[in-house]
Amino acid sequence: MKKTVDYIDLCRYDKELRYAVDVEVLSDDFLLGDKGNQLRFAVSEYGYTRLLSDSLNGLIKIKGSTLMIDAFDYPEITQEAFEEELNKKLKEGREQLEKMLDEKVEQNE
């Protein structure tokens, strides 16, 4: 039976935190959980890249992630402008992920 760790952390409301990430711990070498744990993190850009790195190294499996956008950052935004901003952030995230994966492939060659 898989263990699940549930918690509420008020730091998730920090404006620097941009991603909600669900992970499964695959190795006891992962510092933030034990093998078999299901965890959810609210992380910054840097934290997200660290989780991606841990995933590429086989320590965790990223089950899902969500880009968080603070509505207070866009107080009078139209739906069209919101979707444009969201697509811009998603494109930036994809580009960053592709760059990281390319670097990882180059390291392994």
Side-chain angles (χ1 to χ4, degrees), residues 25-89:
V25 181
L26 302 177
S27 170
D28 286 325
D29 294 332
F30 185 63
L31 297 176
L32 301 175
D34 297 323
K35 186 175 182 177
N37 284 153
Q38 303 282 328
L39 304 170
R40 173 171 287 161
F41 297 103
V43 296
S44 64
E45 295 285 342
Y46 176 74
Y48 190 67
T49 58
R50 290 294 306 265
L51 289 175
L52 287 173
S53 174
D54 288 342
S55 176
L56 292 171
N57 290 326
L59 299 177
I60 60 171
K61 178 179 181 182
I62 295 178
K63 306 288 273 184
S65 63
T66 303
L67 178 65
M68 300 186 298
I69 296 179
D70 188 347
F72 296 109
D73 288 346
Y74 312 98
E76 297 184 15
I77 194 167
T78 65
Q79 182 67 27
E80 183 178 299
F82 175 79
E83 289 174 3
E84 184 178 316
E85 183 68 21
L86 177 60
N87 287 330
K88 177 181 156 189
K89 295 215 179 259

Side-chain angles (χ1 to χ4, degrees), residues 9-24:
D9 188 351
L10 294 178
C11 75
R12 67 184 172 162
Y13 298 106
D14 184 338
K15 289 189 181 290
E16 293 297 314
L17 302 179
R18 288 294 185 203
Y19 297 93
V21 185
D22 295 319
V23 302
E24 178 181 350

